[in-house]
Amino acid sequence: MLLVICFTNSGCTDKKKPVQDSDMLDSAVARDTVKTDSAENLIAQASMPKSADELFDDFIFNFAANKKLQHKRIHFPLSVYRNGKLDHTIGMDNWKMDHFFMRQDYYTLIFDNRKQMSLVKDTTIDHVIIEKVYFAKKRVKQYLFNRINGQWKMTSINYKAMYHNDNASFLEFYQRFAADTAFQRRHLAQNIQFTGPNPDDDFSEMSGVIDASTWPAFAPKLPSHMIYNIIYGQKYTESTQKIFVIRGIANSLETELTFRRIHGRWILTKLNT
């Protein structure tokens, strides 16, 4: 029942379709699918409207698809840091187009609470970080963006060890939760609150409770090798709650998993699809 949001003209047709891990994004340009090409070409061929600089999401979708715009909106030479220390710089001639999450048709987000989710639509923010989390390497690649004179620009890249990340404890847990079904079952609440589309009525939702015995029928396919996270200004703390969101690029469908830390253990308590 995983509903992955597809930023394509064809939409989602298979709710059980696995989420594809995209650790290979950096080298996958030559293996574009027809539908991805179609979506990106539509963006690349059109000029980005000035209004796109108001909302970061509008900007980043254009930035990730339009090579000319991407070169224009990067502060070259681009500084690259490792653990906060300048490692090297990248000149314009050496920059390789980065498509971010556009090649997987969805992206992921992490919030401490629902109030933080409203920052996605905040037009007053002027600093955003896109995180690319590599679980196997235990590393996080951060792309830093600042709005300068009304225009969003990438100003630097920073590599950090995953254990230095503000969500380190949750990320370590999530990696096992996504990849290990036995571990997953041990970290389910006795009763998981569920809300999702009504299979008998396209215009209504159904809600209820899932327990361990019925979980396999509802369990979404989760990316386990690499995920993205966008920090719109939310300040992470050692909270007892994390909301993990899988959000698409072309429609309003999404999946939310709510985890709570109970007696030191992260437990899935709610699933919204």
Side-chain angles (χ1 to χ4, degrees):
M1 289 190 64
L2 173 62
L3 300 178
V4 178
I5 304 171
C6 301
F7 265 51
T8 66
N9 293 330
S10 58
C12 294
T13 57
D14 185 356
K15 294 180 180 180
K16 294 293 285 185
K17 181 179 179 181
V19 172
Q20 297 179 359
D21 295 314
S22 47
D23 192 14
M24 58 184 178
L25 288 180
D26 293 331
S27 60
V29 174
R31 297 192 295 275
D32 297 350
T33 63
V34 172
K35 65 178 184 178
T36 299
D37 277 343
S38 177
E40 290 193 15
N41 286 339
L42 286 174
I43 298 174
Q45 291 172 7
S47 298
M48 188 182 78
K50 292 182 178 180
S51 59
D53 274 310
E54 295 181 6
L55 197 64
F56 181 79
D57 278 7
D58 291 343
F59 160 75
I60 194 61
F61 295 144
N62 283 274
F63 183 82
N66 189 319
K67 184 176 181 179
K68 183 177 180 180
L69 176 67
Q70 189 165 123
H71 276 81
K72 183 179 180 181
R73 292 299 187 91
I74 295 177
H75 188 274
F76 290 112
L78 183 67
S79 298
V80 179
Y81 297 84
R82 293 190 182 276
N83 299 316
K85 296 182 179 180
L86 182 64
D87 184 79
H88 65 281
T89 60
I90 301 175
M92 181 181 295
D93 293 341
N94 294 320
W95 175 256
K96 294 181 180 180
M97 177 73 172
D98 194 323
H99 295 274
F100 295 87
F101 37 72
M102 294 295 287
R103 297 302 167 105
Q104 61 185 18
D105 293 335
Y106 71 95
Y107 59 103
T108 49
L109 301 165
I110 300 172
F111 301 99
D112 281 355
N113 51 63
R114 303 199 69 83
K115 184 178 180 181
Q116 289 183 349
M117 297 173 73
S118 65
L119 290 170
V120 176
K121 301 299 183 182
D122 189 345
T123 59
T124 66
I125 59 174
D126 55 15
H127 178 70
V128 172
I129 300 174
I130 295 181
E131 295 185 320
K132 191 173 185 179
V133 182
Y134 298 91
F135 287 117
K137 299 177 181 178
K138 303 291 184 183
R139 187 179 69 183
V140 178
K141 182 178 182 180
Q142 295 182 325
Y143 302 83
L144 281 68
F145 293 84
N146 290 285
R147 185 153 50 184
I148 303 171
N149 296 326
Q151 294 186 333
W152 283 106
K153 294 188 176 182
M154 185 197 295
T155 55
S156 64
I157 292 175
N158 188 23
Y159 290 92
K160 299 174 66 174
M162 195 173 78
Y163 63 83
H164 283 155
N165 189 270
D166 291 336
N167 287 310
S169 171
F170 176 75
L171 290 173
E172 183 177 2
F173 157 78
Y174 171 82
Q175 180 184 14
R176 291 195 62 187
F177 185 88
D180 186 337
T181 56
F183 180 86
Q184 190 175 106
R185 287 194 297 270
R186 295 196 299 270
H187 290 81
L188 301 175
Q190 185 174 0
N191 293 310
I192 301 167
Q193 299 298 316
F194 170 78
T195 302
N198 187 337
D200 298 322
D201 184 353
D202 293 337
F203 300 98
S204 67
E205 291 186 337
M206 59 181 291
S207 59
V209 174
I210 304 171
D211 59 24
S213 64
T214 56
W215 170 250
F218 293 87
K221 303 292 185 181
L222 301 173
S224 58
H225 295 301
M226 188 278 292
I227 63 171
Y228 281 93
N229 181 40
I230 304 180
I231 303 175
Y232 298 90
Q234 62 265 36
K235 303 296 184 182
Y236 295 115
T237 64
E238 287 295 325
S239 67
T240 57
Q241 177 179 266
K242 295 292 179 184
I243 302 173
F244 184 81
V245 180
I246 300 173
R247 180 172 290 170
I249 305 172
N251 56 41
S252 58
L253 299 176
E254 67 181 42
T255 297
E256 293 180 11
L257 297 94
T258 302
F259 298 88
R260 290 189 177 277
R261 188 156 51 187
I262 302 173
H263 303 304
R265 298 174 67 243
W266 287 106
I267 302 293
L268 177 67
T269 61
K270 186 183 297 183
L271 173 66
N272 292 344
T273 62

